[in-house]
Amino acid sequence: MLTRLDLRGFTGCLTDVLPRPEPVSDNVTEVVRSIIAAVRERGDEALAEFTERFDGASPPSPRIGRPEMEEALQRVGVEVRKALLASAEAIRGHHATQVRPEMRHEAGGLEVRSIPRPVRRAGCYVPGGRATYPSTLLMTAVPARVAGVDEVVVCVPPGSDGLIPDATLAAAAVAGVDAVHPVGGAQAIAALAYGTASIDPVDVIVGPGNVYVAVAKQEVAGAVGIPVGFTGPSEVVVIADATVPPEFAAVDVVVQAEHGPDGLAWLITWDEAVADAAEGAIEEIVAASPRRSDIEATLAVAGICVLVDGPVEALAVADEIAPEHLQLMCADAGELALKVRNAGAVFCGPWSPASLGDYMAGPSHVLPTAGTARFAGALTVSDFTKDVHVVTADRTAIERLGPHIVTLAEVEGLDAHAESVRMRLSDA
């Protein structure tokens, strides 16, 4: 079920031999651009057409408010309500540690204050279609609230009945969301970025989605803030050895493949017996899974088992892939984790599955995919804030720094810049 790649003894360039997902096709980009253009031109009318075409739905209202969310919270079962509240508490607690105070630097009559300011409006995209993701709503909206965002809205694809699942609306109530809009896909991103009659434009758009959603966010970047990571189809790399039950490694490879096509699910080991046992367990798990077709679709294209010489080589492969989730299910996992350079999130040991991060660890499960973990990380409070610098100088600071300013301005040929300081130096 996994494609076997034997790199034992390999000394060449990993980039040349490791399979990678195909780049986004021009066709996807063209489709996304046409959707964005239609939404900008025709607003809600285009949203209704795309929702009917792609979701087979006609929502009764383009906006769901707080009363409907609170009603959904009462309708869900007690255990669901408890789980949502527990997850929100963990997310809130973790992200509260990221809130930065004002920073102040003083030097010889110069004072610079860096003041974190939240954006006014944030849009959270929550996927739908194959599954319901109240967890993603919490993982995007709660950090926004912790950051101090004034208004948080959510877009989520409706079901075929035109409605949003109660669990998702209940999560919106728990997270303190202001409005939920039953619209998904690239059209939702366009609406959040540029606005329609029913959806006001936002300052930042966050949240994962399929390739169309991810490309749409790239296309609207500049008109609206977009975190730098490409948050597309789900990925996992599991590094395992004989110290962990092979069933653990197997199920955790399957976990991310469960999200459906275009993802990535890798097992890396230096023990061929572990590879054989884990692959056998994967086959059994997939055969019994209610989401068998989604898992098989992912594994057929991007299910890889890599044999390497040892932990160092395993980590080199993982760093080259730069996966969304990296699980270190091997001896000395904690020490190995300190050497990881490229991964959205790292999970250490047999009792730390990626599922823990998906729901209850606290950090947002919105993570970089498609290799963007080389330069991007998880969604954080900083994605909803920006620094405003307040600069105050006195006469002594201008006397001290002014000559350097004049010199640099003259080098750049910007005489007015230089003159603005010369006047002050002359006056001083």
Side-chain angles (χ1 to χ4, degrees), residues 88-123:
E89 181 180 5
I91 298 165
R92 194 174 293 113
H94 170 77
H95 287 85
T97 67
Q98 299 174 350
V99 177
R100 293 186 294 111
E102 173 188 325
M103 304 297 290
R104 187 187 302 260
H105 173 68
E106 297 181 16
L110 175 68
E111 178 191 76
V112 180
R113 298 164 61 195
S114 296
I115 306 174
R117 292 285 189 238
V119 300
R120 183 173 290 111
R121 300 188 76 248

PDB file of all heavy atoms in Angstrom, residues 88-123:
ATOM      1  N   ALA A  88     -11.084  24.616  23.435  1.00  0.00           N
ATOM      2  CA  ALA A  88     -10.961  26.073  23.409  1.00  0.00           C
ATOM      3  C   ALA A  88     -10.093  26.571  24.562  1.00  0.00           C
ATOM      4  O   ALA A  88      -9.281  27.487  24.396  1.00  0.00           O
ATOM      5  CB  ALA A  88     -12.339  26.715  23.464  1.00  0.00           C
ATOM      6  N   GLU A  89     -10.255  25.958  25.731  1.00  0.00           N
ATOM      7  CA  GLU A  89      -9.454  26.363  26.893  1.00  0.00           C
ATOM      8  C   GLU A  89      -7.974  26.098  26.651  1.00  0.00           C
ATOM      9  O   GLU A  89      -7.116  26.937  26.984  1.00  0.00           O
ATOM     10  CB  GLU A  89      -9.927  25.607  28.132  1.00  0.00           C
ATOM     11  CG  GLU A  89      -9.172  25.992  29.402  1.00  0.00           C
ATOM     12  CD  GLU A  89      -9.655  25.237  30.629  1.00  0.00           C
ATOM     13  OE1 GLU A  89     -10.512  24.348  30.493  1.00  0.00           O
ATOM     14  OE2 GLU A  89      -9.151  25.546  31.724  1.00  0.00           O
ATOM     15  N   ALA A  90      -7.654  24.930  26.053  1.00  0.00           N
ATOM     16  CA  ALA A  90      -6.260  24.600  25.774  1.00  0.00           C
ATOM     17  C   ALA A  90      -5.669  25.562  24.742  1.00  0.00           C
ATOM     18  O   ALA A  90      -4.534  26.038  24.883  1.00  0.00           O
ATOM     19  CB  ALA A  90      -6.151  23.167  25.267  1.00  0.00           C
ATOM     20  N   ILE A  91      -6.435  25.872  23.711  1.00  0.00           N
ATOM     21  CA  ILE A  91      -5.970  26.786  22.664  1.00  0.00           C
ATOM     22  C   ILE A  91      -5.768  28.189  23.231  1.00  0.00           C
ATOM     23  O   ILE A  91      -4.759  28.849  22.981  1.00  0.00           O
ATOM     24  CB  ILE A  91      -6.977  26.818  21.504  1.00  0.00           C
ATOM     25  CG1 ILE A  91      -7.094  25.427  20.858  1.00  0.00           C
ATOM     26  CG2 ILE A  91      -6.573  27.843  20.450  1.00  0.00           C
ATOM     27  CD1 ILE A  91      -8.306  25.273  19.953  1.00  0.00           C
ATOM     28  N   ARG A  92      -6.731  28.618  24.031  1.00  0.00           N
ATOM     29  CA  ARG A  92      -6.659  29.953  24.623  1.00  0.00           C
ATOM     30  C   ARG A  92      -5.458  30.062  25.567  1.00  0.00           C
ATOM     31  O   ARG A  92      -4.722  31.054  25.554  1.00  0.00           O
ATOM     32  CB  ARG A  92      -7.962  30.241  25.376  1.00  0.00           C
ATOM     33  CG  ARG A  92      -8.158  31.696  25.760  1.00  0.00           C
ATOM     34  CD  ARG A  92      -9.535  31.903  26.369  1.00  0.00           C
ATOM     35  NE  ARG A  92     -10.601  31.693  25.388  1.00  0.00           N
ATOM     36  CZ  ARG A  92     -11.479  30.692  25.429  1.00  0.00           C
ATOM     37  NH1 ARG A  92     -11.430  29.796  26.413  1.00  0.00           N
ATOM     38  NH2 ARG A  92     -12.406  30.588  24.512  1.00  0.00           N
ATOM     39  N   GLY A  93      -5.254  29.028  26.367  1.00  0.00           N
ATOM     40  CA  GLY A  93      -4.146  29.045  27.316  1.00  0.00           C
ATOM     41  C   GLY A  93      -2.800  29.116  26.630  1.00  0.00           C
ATOM     42  O   GLY A  93      -1.912  29.879  27.041  1.00  0.00           O
ATOM     43  N   HIS A  94      -2.635  28.337  25.565  1.00  0.00           N
ATOM     44  CA  HIS A  94      -1.364  28.361  24.844  1.00  0.00           C
ATOM     45  C   HIS A  94      -1.126  29.710  24.188  1.00  0.00           C
ATOM     46  O   HIS A  94      -0.042  30.297  24.303  1.00  0.00           O
ATOM     47  CB  HIS A  94      -1.328  27.270  23.779  1.00  0.00           C
ATOM     48  CG  HIS A  94      -0.153  27.387  22.849  1.00  0.00           C
ATOM     49  ND1 HIS A  94       1.115  26.999  23.201  1.00  0.00           N
ATOM     50  CD2 HIS A  94      -0.055  27.907  21.592  1.00  0.00           C
ATOM     51  CE1 HIS A  94       1.950  27.253  22.212  1.00  0.00           C
ATOM     52  NE2 HIS A  94       1.270  27.805  21.222  1.00  0.00           N
ATOM     53  N   HIS A  95      -2.139  30.227  23.495  1.00  0.00           N
ATOM     54  CA  HIS A  95      -1.939  31.455  22.729  1.00  0.00           C
ATOM     55  C   HIS A  95      -1.826  32.692  23.622  1.00  0.00           C
ATOM     56  O   HIS A  95      -1.238  33.702  23.210  1.00  0.00           O
ATOM     57  CB  HIS A  95      -3.041  31.611  21.684  1.00  0.00           C
ATOM     58  CG  HIS A  95      -2.886  30.651  20.540  1.00  0.00           C
ATOM     59  ND1 HIS A  95      -3.379  29.363  20.581  1.00  0.00           N
ATOM     60  CD2 HIS A  95      -2.254  30.780  19.356  1.00  0.00           C
ATOM     61  CE1 HIS A  95      -3.062  28.745  19.460  1.00  0.00           C
ATOM     62  NE2 HIS A  95      -2.375  29.578  18.703  1.00  0.00           N
ATOM     63  N   ALA A  96      -2.350  32.608  24.831  1.00  0.00           N
ATOM     64  CA  ALA A  96      -2.190  33.725  25.764  1.00  0.00           C
ATOM     65  C   ALA A  96      -0.719  33.968  26.077  1.00  0.00           C
ATOM     66  O   ALA A  96      -0.306  35.102  26.361  1.00  0.00           O
ATOM     67  CB  ALA A  96      -2.975  33.469  27.045  1.00  0.00           C
ATOM     68  N   THR A  97       0.102  32.912  26.004  1.00  0.00           N
ATOM     69  CA  THR A  97       1.538  33.070  26.272  1.00  0.00           C
ATOM     70  C   THR A  97       2.241  33.807  25.136  1.00  0.00           C
ATOM     71  O   THR A  97       3.393  34.221  25.296  1.00  0.00           O
ATOM     72  CB  THR A  97       2.212  31.701  26.468  1.00  0.00           C
ATOM     73  OG1 THR A  97       2.196  30.969  25.231  1.00  0.00           O
ATOM     74  CG2 THR A  97       1.501  30.888  27.537  1.00  0.00           C
ATOM     75  N   GLN A  98       1.576  33.959  23.990  1.00  0.00           N
ATOM     76  CA  GLN A  98       2.198  34.619  22.839  1.00  0.00           C
ATOM     77  C   GLN A  98       1.913  36.122  22.784  1.00  0.00           C
ATOM     78  O   GLN A  98       2.489  36.826  21.949  1.00  0.00           O
ATOM     79  CB  GLN A  98       1.696  33.975  21.537  1.00  0.00           C
ATOM     80  CG  GLN A  98       2.028  32.504  21.411  1.00  0.00           C
ATOM     81  CD  GLN A  98       1.388  31.889  20.171  1.00  0.00           C
ATOM     82  OE1 GLN A  98       0.555  32.508  19.512  1.00  0.00           O
ATOM     83  NE2 GLN A  98       1.766  30.670  19.863  1.00  0.00           N
ATOM     84  N   VAL A  99       1.022  36.594  23.629  1.00  0.00           N
ATOM     85  CA  VAL A  99       0.680  38.020  23.607  1.00  0.00           C
ATOM     86  C   VAL A  99       1.876  38.819  24.126  1.00  0.00           C
ATOM     87  O   VAL A  99       2.350  38.609  25.249  1.00  0.00           O
ATOM     88  CB  VAL A  99      -0.564  38.300  24.470  1.00  0.00           C
ATOM     89  CG1 VAL A  99      -0.862  39.797  24.503  1.00  0.00           C
ATOM     90  CG2 VAL A  99      -1.762  37.536  23.919  1.00  0.00           C
ATOM     91  N   ARG A 100       2.367  39.733  23.300  1.00  0.00           N
ATOM     92  CA  ARG A 100       3.565  40.490  23.641  1.00  0.00           C
ATOM     93  C   ARG A 100       3.222  41.861  24.217  1.00  0.00           C
ATOM     94  O   ARG A 100       2.311  42.529  23.736  1.00  0.00           O
ATOM     95  CB  ARG A 100       4.434  40.695  22.395  1.00  0.00           C
ATOM     96  CG  ARG A 100       5.034  39.419  21.848  1.00  0.00           C
ATOM     97  CD  ARG A 100       5.999  39.726  20.705  1.00  0.00           C
ATOM     98  NE  ARG A 100       5.315  40.290  19.543  1.00  0.00           N
ATOM     99  CZ  ARG A 100       5.443  41.531  19.128  1.00  0.00           C
ATOM    100  NH1 ARG A 100       6.216  42.385  19.799  1.00  0.00           N
ATOM    101  NH2 ARG A 100       4.806  41.967  18.054  1.00  0.00           N
ATOM    102  N   PRO A 101       3.955  42.298  25.211  1.00  0.00           N
ATOM    103  CA  PRO A 101       3.763  43.662  25.724  1.00  0.00           C
ATOM    104  C   PRO A 101       4.445  44.660  24.792  1.00  0.00           C
ATOM    105  O   PRO A 101       5.209  44.292  23.900  1.00  0.00           O
ATOM    106  CB  PRO A 101       4.470  43.621  27.075  1.00  0.00           C
ATOM    107  CG  PRO A 101       5.573  42.622  26.873  1.00  0.00           C
ATOM    108  CD  PRO A 101       4.994  41.566  25.956  1.00  0.00           C
ATOM    109  N   GLU A 102       4.162  45.926  25.011  1.00  0.00           N
ATOM    110  CA  GLU A 102       4.871  46.971  24.279  1.00  0.00           C
ATOM    111  C   GLU A 102       6.364  46.886  24.595  1.00  0.00           C
ATOM    112  O   GLU A 102       6.760  46.670  25.743  1.00  0.00           O
ATOM    113  CB  GLU A 102       4.331  48.332  24.695  1.00  0.00           C
ATOM    114  CG  GLU A 102       5.096  49.509  24.118  1.00  0.00           C
ATOM    115  CD  GLU A 102       4.655  50.835  24.693  1.00  0.00           C
ATOM    116  OE1 GLU A 102       3.443  50.982  24.986  1.00  0.00           O
ATOM    117  OE2 GLU A 102       5.510  51.726  24.856  1.00  0.00           O
ATOM    118  N   MET A 103       7.184  47.031  23.549  1.00  0.00           N
ATOM    119  CA  MET A 103       8.639  47.025  23.736  1.00  0.00           C
ATOM    120  C   MET A 103       9.148  48.461  23.597  1.00  0.00           C
ATOM    121  O   MET A 103       8.662  49.230  22.761  1.00  0.00           O
ATOM    122  CB  MET A 103       9.309  46.131  22.687  1.00  0.00           C
ATOM    123  CG  MET A 103       8.788  44.695  22.675  1.00  0.00           C
ATOM    124  SD  MET A 103       9.115  43.817  24.217  1.00  0.00           S
ATOM    125  CE  MET A 103      10.897  43.641  24.116  1.00  0.00           C
ATOM    126  N   ARG A 104      10.129  48.808  24.430  1.00  0.00           N
ATOM    127  CA  ARG A 104      10.647  50.175  24.427  1.00  0.00           C
ATOM    128  C   ARG A 104      12.179  50.135  24.393  1.00  0.00           C
ATOM    129  O   ARG A 104      12.809  49.359  25.117  1.00  0.00           O
ATOM    130  CB  ARG A 104      10.175  50.912  25.678  1.00  0.00           C
ATOM    131  CG  ARG A 104      10.515  52.410  25.701  1.00  0.00           C
ATOM    132  CD  ARG A 104      10.137  52.986  27.064  1.00  0.00           C
ATOM    133  NE  ARG A 104       8.731  52.800  27.358  1.00  0.00           N
ATOM    134  CZ  ARG A 104       7.804  53.738  27.212  1.00  0.00           C
ATOM    135  NH1 ARG A 104       8.149  54.925  26.743  1.00  0.00           N
ATOM    136  NH2 ARG A 104       6.550  53.500  27.525  1.00  0.00           N
ATOM    137  N   HIS A 105      12.754  50.944  23.496  1.00  0.00           N
ATOM    138  CA  HIS A 105      14.215  51.042  23.413  1.00  0.00           C
ATOM    139  C   HIS A 105      14.599  52.509  23.489  1.00  0.00           C
ATOM    140  O   HIS A 105      14.039  53.353  22.773  1.00  0.00           O
ATOM    141  CB  HIS A 105      14.714  50.452  22.092  1.00  0.00           C
ATOM    142  CG  HIS A 105      16.178  50.669  21.856  1.00  0.00           C
ATOM    143  ND1 HIS A 105      17.150  50.061  22.611  1.00  0.00           N
ATOM    144  CD2 HIS A 105      16.834  51.442  20.948  1.00  0.00           C
ATOM    145  CE1 HIS A 105      18.343  50.441  22.181  1.00  0.00           C
ATOM    146  NE2 HIS A 105      18.179  51.284  21.169  1.00  0.00           N
ATOM    147  N   GLU A 106      15.552  52.834  24.360  1.00  0.00           N
ATOM    148  CA  GLU A 106      16.013  54.208  24.535  1.00  0.00           C
ATOM    149  C   GLU A 106      17.523  54.259  24.373  1.00  0.00           C
ATOM    150  O   GLU A 106      18.241  53.387  24.870  1.00  0.00           O
ATOM    151  CB  GLU A 106      15.611  54.742  25.910  1.00  0.00           C
ATOM    152  CG  GLU A 106      14.097  54.826  26.128  1.00  0.00           C
ATOM    153  CD  GLU A 106      13.741  55.384  27.492  1.00  0.00           C
ATOM    154  OE1 GLU A 106      14.635  55.980  28.136  1.00  0.00           O
ATOM    155  OE2 GLU A 106      12.580  55.219  27.909  1.00  0.00           O
ATOM    156  N   ALA A 107      17.986  55.303  23.660  1.00  0.00           N
ATOM    157  CA  ALA A 107      19.427  55.466  23.467  1.00  0.00           C
ATOM    158  C   ALA A 107      19.737  56.923  23.169  1.00  0.00           C
ATOM    159  O   ALA A 107      19.378  57.433  22.097  1.00  0.00           O
ATOM    160  CB  ALA A 107      19.925  54.586  22.329  1.00  0.00           C
ATOM    161  N   GLY A 108      20.375  57.602  24.114  1.00  0.00           N
ATOM    162  CA  GLY A 108      20.858  58.950  23.875  1.00  0.00           C
ATOM    163  C   GLY A 108      19.838  59.922  23.336  1.00  0.00           C
ATOM    164  O   GLY A 108      20.092  60.579  22.318  1.00  0.00           O
ATOM    165  N   GLY A 109      18.699  60.031  23.967  1.00  0.00           N
ATOM    166  CA  GLY A 109      17.685  60.981  23.536  1.00  0.00           C
ATOM    167  C   GLY A 109      16.727  60.465  22.473  1.00  0.00           C
ATOM    168  O   GLY A 109      15.841  61.186  22.022  1.00  0.00           O
ATOM    169  N   LEU A 110      16.920  59.226  22.058  1.00  0.00           N
ATOM    170  CA  LEU A 110      16.014  58.591  21.076  1.00  0.00           C
ATOM    171  C   LEU A 110      15.203  57.518  21.773  1.00  0.00           C
ATOM    172  O   LEU A 110      15.763  56.655  22.463  1.00  0.00           O
ATOM    173  CB  LEU A 110      16.809  57.977  19.931  1.00  0.00           C
ATOM    174  CG  LEU A 110      16.011  57.177  18.901  1.00  0.00           C
ATOM    175  CD1 LEU A 110      15.109  58.109  18.093  1.00  0.00           C
ATOM    176  CD2 LEU A 110      16.929  56.392  17.979  1.00  0.00           C
ATOM    177  N   GLU A 111      13.904  57.576  21.612  1.00  0.00           N
ATOM    178  CA  GLU A 111      13.019  56.553  22.174  1.00  0.00           C
ATOM    179  C   GLU A 111      12.198  55.931  21.047  1.00  0.00           C
ATOM    180  O   GLU A 111      11.595  56.645  20.241  1.00  0.00           O
ATOM    181  CB  GLU A 111      12.064  57.169  23.193  1.00  0.00           C
ATOM    182  CG  GLU A 111      11.075  56.155  23.771  1.00  0.00           C
ATOM    183  CD  GLU A 111       9.963  56.810  24.569  1.00  0.00           C
ATOM    184  OE1 GLU A 111       9.047  57.381  23.939  1.00  0.00           O
ATOM    185  OE2 GLU A 111      10.015  56.749  25.806  1.00  0.00           O
ATOM    186  N   VAL A 112      12.201  54.596  20.988  1.00  0.00           N
ATOM    187  CA  VAL A 112      11.391  53.866  20.014  1.00  0.00           C
ATOM    188  C   VAL A 112      10.506  52.884  20.768  1.00  0.00           C
ATOM    189  O   VAL A 112      11.005  52.014  21.494  1.00  0.00           O
ATOM    190  CB  VAL A 112      12.252  53.101  18.987  1.00  0.00           C
ATOM    191  CG1 VAL A 112      11.350  52.357  17.999  1.00  0.00           C
ATOM    192  CG2 VAL A 112      13.180  54.054  18.241  1.00  0.00           C
ATOM    193  N   ARG A 113       9.213  53.063  20.598  1.00  0.00           N
ATOM    194  CA  ARG A 113       8.246  52.138  21.204  1.00  0.00           C
ATOM    195  C   ARG A 113       7.650  51.275  20.093  1.00  0.00           C
ATOM    196  O   ARG A 113       7.225  51.790  19.051  1.00  0.00           O
ATOM    197  CB  ARG A 113       7.139  52.913  21.906  1.00  0.00           C
ATOM    198  CG  ARG A 113       7.607  53.788  23.050  1.00  0.00           C
ATOM    199  CD  ARG A 113       6.561  54.808  23.440  1.00  0.00           C
ATOM    200  NE  ARG A 113       5.313  54.179  23.885  1.00  0.00           N
ATOM    201  CZ  ARG A 113       4.163  54.840  23.996  1.00  0.00           C
ATOM    202  NH1 ARG A 113       4.091  56.139  23.681  1.00  0.00           N
ATOM    203  NH2 ARG A 113       3.085  54.220  24.413  1.00  0.00           N
ATOM    204  N   SER A 114       7.615  49.965  20.297  1.00  0.00           N
ATOM    205  CA  SER A 114       6.990  49.037  19.366  1.00  0.00           C
ATOM    206  C   SER A 114       5.726  48.511  20.031  1.00  0.00           C
ATOM    207  O   SER A 114       5.788  47.775  21.023  1.00  0.00           O
ATOM    208  CB  SER A 114       7.929  47.880  19.022  1.00  0.00           C
ATOM    209  OG  SER A 114       9.077  48.372  18.346  1.00  0.00           O
ATOM    210  N   ILE A 115       4.581  48.908  19.472  1.00  0.00           N
ATOM    211  CA  ILE A 115       3.301  48.603  20.110  1.00  0.00           C
ATOM    212  C   ILE A 115       2.524  47.607  19.260  1.00  0.00           C
ATOM    213  O   ILE A 115       2.120  47.928  18.130  1.00  0.00           O
ATOM    214  CB  ILE A 115       2.469  49.886  20.282  1.00  0.00           C
ATOM    215  CG1 ILE A 115       3.291  50.959  21.024  1.00  0.00           C
ATOM    216  CG2 ILE A 115       1.181  49.585  21.023  1.00  0.00           C
ATOM    217  CD1 ILE A 115       2.613  52.304  21.106  1.00  0.00           C
ATOM    218  N   PRO A 116       2.310  46.368  19.748  1.00  0.00           N
ATOM    219  CA  PRO A 116       1.509  45.406  18.986  1.00  0.00           C
ATOM    220  C   PRO A 116       0.056  45.855  18.909  1.00  0.00           C
ATOM    221  O   PRO A 116      -0.549  46.195  19.929  1.00  0.00           O
ATOM    222  CB  PRO A 116       1.647  44.109  19.795  1.00  0.00           C
ATOM    223  CG  PRO A 116       2.809  44.322  20.706  1.00  0.00           C
ATOM    224  CD  PRO A 116       2.839  45.788  20.984  1.00  0.00           C
ATOM    225  N   ARG A 117      -0.499  45.876  17.713  1.00  0.00           N
ATOM    226  CA  ARG A 117      -1.891  46.260  17.517  1.00  0.00           C
ATOM    227  C   ARG A 117      -2.609  45.160  16.737  1.00  0.00           C
ATOM    228  O   ARG A 117      -2.146  44.748  15.671  1.00  0.00           O
ATOM    229  CB  ARG A 117      -1.980  47.568  16.741  1.00  0.00           C
ATOM    230  CG  ARG A 117      -1.481  48.785  17.506  1.00  0.00           C
ATOM    231  CD  ARG A 117      -2.496  49.197  18.558  1.00  0.00           C
ATOM    232  NE  ARG A 117      -2.142  50.494  19.156  1.00  0.00           N
ATOM    233  CZ  ARG A 117      -1.941  50.679  20.429  1.00  0.00           C
ATOM    234  NH1 ARG A 117      -2.012  49.654  21.264  1.00  0.00           N
ATOM    235  NH2 ARG A 117      -1.656  51.874  20.907  1.00  0.00           N
ATOM    236  N   PRO A 118      -3.749  44.683  17.229  1.00  0.00           N
ATOM    237  CA  PRO A 118      -4.496  43.673  16.472  1.00  0.00           C
ATOM    238  C   PRO A 118      -5.183  44.287  15.265  1.00  0.00           C
ATOM    239  O   PRO A 118      -5.473  45.496  15.248  1.00  0.00           O
ATOM    240  CB  PRO A 118      -5.526  43.165  17.486  1.00  0.00           C
ATOM    241  CG  PRO A 118      -5.729  44.322  18.417  1.00  0.00           C
ATOM    242  CD  PRO A 118      -4.395  45.017  18.512  1.00  0.00           C
ATOM    243  N   VAL A 119      -5.424  43.470  14.254  1.00  0.00           N
ATOM    244  CA  VAL A 119      -6.222  43.939  13.125  1.00  0.00           C
ATOM    245  C   VAL A 119      -7.661  44.120  13.592  1.00  0.00           C
ATOM    246  O   VAL A 119      -8.074  43.601  14.631  1.00  0.00           O
ATOM    247  CB  VAL A 119      -6.169  42.941  11.945  1.00  0.00           C
ATOM    248  CG1 VAL A 119      -4.732  42.760  11.472  1.00  0.00           C
ATOM    249  CG2 VAL A 119      -6.788  41.589  12.322  1.00  0.00           C
ATOM    250  N   ARG A 120      -8.440  44.859  12.804  1.00  0.00           N
ATOM    251  CA  ARG A 120      -9.822  45.127  13.204  1.00  0.00           C
ATOM    252  C   ARG A 120     -10.732  43.933  12.919  1.00  0.00           C
ATOM    253  O   ARG A 120     -11.568  43.579  13.736  1.00  0.00           O
ATOM    254  CB  ARG A 120     -10.332  46.375  12.476  1.00  0.00           C
ATOM    255  CG  ARG A 120     -11.744  46.790  12.890  1.00  0.00           C
ATOM    256  CD  ARG A 120     -12.153  48.109  12.285  1.00  0.00           C
ATOM    257  NE  ARG A 120     -11.410  49.221  12.883  1.00  0.00           N
ATOM    258  CZ  ARG A 120     -10.492  49.938  12.255  1.00  0.00           C
ATOM    259  NH1 ARG A 120     -10.198  49.682  10.998  1.00  0.00           N
ATOM    260  NH2 ARG A 120      -9.869  50.935  12.870  1.00  0.00           N
ATOM    261  N   ARG A 121     -10.582  43.320  11.719  1.00  0.00           N
ATOM    262  CA  ARG A 121     -11.484  42.218  11.334  1.00  0.00           C
ATOM    263  C   ARG A 121     -10.658  41.049  10.797  1.00  0.00           C
ATOM    264  O   ARG A 121      -9.749  41.247   9.983  1.00  0.00           O
ATOM    265  CB  ARG A 121     -12.483  42.654  10.261  1.00  0.00           C
ATOM    266  CG  ARG A 121     -13.387  43.806  10.672  1.00  0.00           C
ATOM    267  CD  ARG A 121     -14.477  44.063   9.631  1.00  0.00           C
ATOM    268  NE  ARG A 121     -15.526  43.057   9.718  1.00  0.00           N
ATOM    269  CZ  ARG A 121     -15.784  42.140   8.796  1.00  0.00           C
ATOM    270  NH1 ARG A 121     -15.061  42.071   7.700  1.00  0.00           N
ATOM    271  NH2 ARG A 121     -16.764  41.273   8.955  1.00  0.00           N
ATOM    272  N   ALA A 122     -10.977  39.853  11.236  1.00  0.00           N
ATOM    273  CA  ALA A 122     -10.302  38.648  10.757  1.00  0.00           C
ATOM    274  C   ALA A 122     -11.332  37.685  10.178  1.00  0.00           C
ATOM    275  O   ALA A 122     -12.427  37.523  10.720  1.00  0.00           O
ATOM    276  CB  ALA A 122      -9.536  37.967  11.893  1.00  0.00           C
ATOM    277  N   GLY A 123     -10.960  37.056   9.071  1.00  0.00           N
ATOM    278  CA  GLY A 123     -11.801  36.031   8.458  1.00  0.00           C
ATOM    279  C   GLY A 123     -11.159  34.666   8.614  1.00  0.00           C
ATOM    280  O   GLY A 123      -9.975  34.485   8.290  1.00  0.00           O
TER     281      GLY A 123
END
